[in-house]
Amino acid sequence: MSQIIYLLRHGETVFNTQGRYQGQLDSPLTDVGIEQVQQNAVMLKSLLGNPQDWKIISSSLGRALQSAEIICETIGYDFNDVAKDHRLAEVAVGDWAGLTIKEIEKSWPSLLENTDHYNWYFNAPNGESYDSVVARLTDWLDSVEDEQNVIVISHGLTGRILRGINAGLAKDHALKLDVSQDVFFKLSDKEIHNISLAFDDFY
């Protein structure tokens, strides 16, 4: 049987509502964020069968762990059994962490030249490069290749890149993948399936 990975993003955070880029800083979920995770968890539960047949792995950042705890409560899984892996953490944006795009534009205008909405993060002073993120996520994927059923709680940009690696997508394509917080993804046989309330089984 093919491996199945369900990939979820944390719910909306306070920094998200303020337009602040979190990177590897942290910010708690909002009430909306909690509802988003609960909604995704209910859909996830309907797809799993026995939750004990699955390995759950979360980014070690607080917003992902808060989301993982909500998911565990919903599907009936012991949160203490969730593995924490920093390789799944959000892309580090160095000196830009916690700032808004206006604050970044004011202090580092030259670093945003010749970038676009999808790739400017990687120009952050003291931040991570795309290749270094690919390396850590590839390492993580290799480490779970013998796991049949995996549930992952990660982040927006990291989730894009992880899906891109898994499906063999080019960088430009991977960085334009959906990062909505009310959808999650099934990765299997190098294919990506979006699962949301618009998914056939949830009309």
Side-chain angles (χ1 to χ4, degrees):
M1 291 179 61
S2 299
Q3 181 189 53
I4 295 174
I5 297 176
Y6 285 118
L7 173 63
L8 296 93
R9 183 186 179 190
H10 63 81
E12 178 191 78
T13 69
V14 172
F15 271 17
N16 288 156
T17 64
Q18 297 171 349
R20 297 190 179 279
Y21 293 93
Q22 296 172 107
Q24 295 186 2
L25 293 182
D26 237 325
S27 172
L29 301 187
T30 63
D31 289 343
V32 169
I34 290 169
E35 289 178 7
Q36 289 168 335
V37 178
Q38 289 171 335
Q39 174 182 290
N40 282 335
V42 168
M43 291 188 288
L44 177 66
K45 183 178 181 179
S46 73
L47 299 171
L48 294 183
N50 183 356
Q52 310 315 317
D53 292 337
W54 293 77
K55 183 177 181 67
I56 300 183
I57 309 172
S58 175
S59 156
S60 57
L61 297 179
R63 58 192 184 273
L65 290 172
Q66 186 181 357
S67 300
E69 190 163 12
I70 295 166
I71 291 166
C72 287
E73 290 172 359
T74 304
I75 69 173
Y77 192 94
D78 187 345
F79 178 66
N80 293 317
D81 292 335
V82 173
K84 303 171 186 65
D85 198 316
H86 195 65
R87 289 174 293 183
L88 295 168
E90 184 57 296
V91 174
V93 290
D95 295 355
W96 293 351
L99 302 182
T100 65
I101 188 64
K102 287 186 177 180
E103 290 168 339
I104 293 166
E105 288 172 339
K106 182 177 179 180
S107 297
W108 293 274
S110 64
L111 293 182
L112 297 178
E113 292 175 3
N114 301 314
T115 67
D116 60 32
H117 178 68
Y118 300 103
N119 67 19
W120 64 271
Y121 313 88
F122 300 106
N123 281 23
N126 301 308
E128 284 184 282
S129 69
Y130 181 81
D131 288 343
S132 67
V133 178
V134 168
R136 66 171 162 92
L137 291 175
T138 300
D139 189 53
W140 178 82
L141 278 168
D142 290 344
S143 74
V144 298
E145 64 182 0
D146 294 329
E147 297 284 349
Q148 190 69 44
N149 301 317
V150 184
I151 297 166
V152 180
I153 300 94
S154 188
H155 304 269
L157 192 49
T158 298
R160 275 177 169 160
I161 297 169
L162 183 61
R163 279 176 278 153
I165 297 167
N166 188 72
L169 303 180
K171 174 182 177 179
D172 289 349
H173 188 178
L175 290 178
K176 293 177 182 177
L177 293 173
D178 185 10
V179 293
S180 170
Q181 284 159 315
D182 55 9
V183 63
F184 63 99
F185 306 93
K186 177 184 178 182
L187 312 183
S188 187
D189 293 326
K190 297 191 179 300
E191 294 185 351
I192 306 168
H193 298 279
N194 293 21
I195 299 172
S196 69
L197 285 177
F199 189 62
D200 289 347
D201 291 350
F202 299 103
Y203 284 132

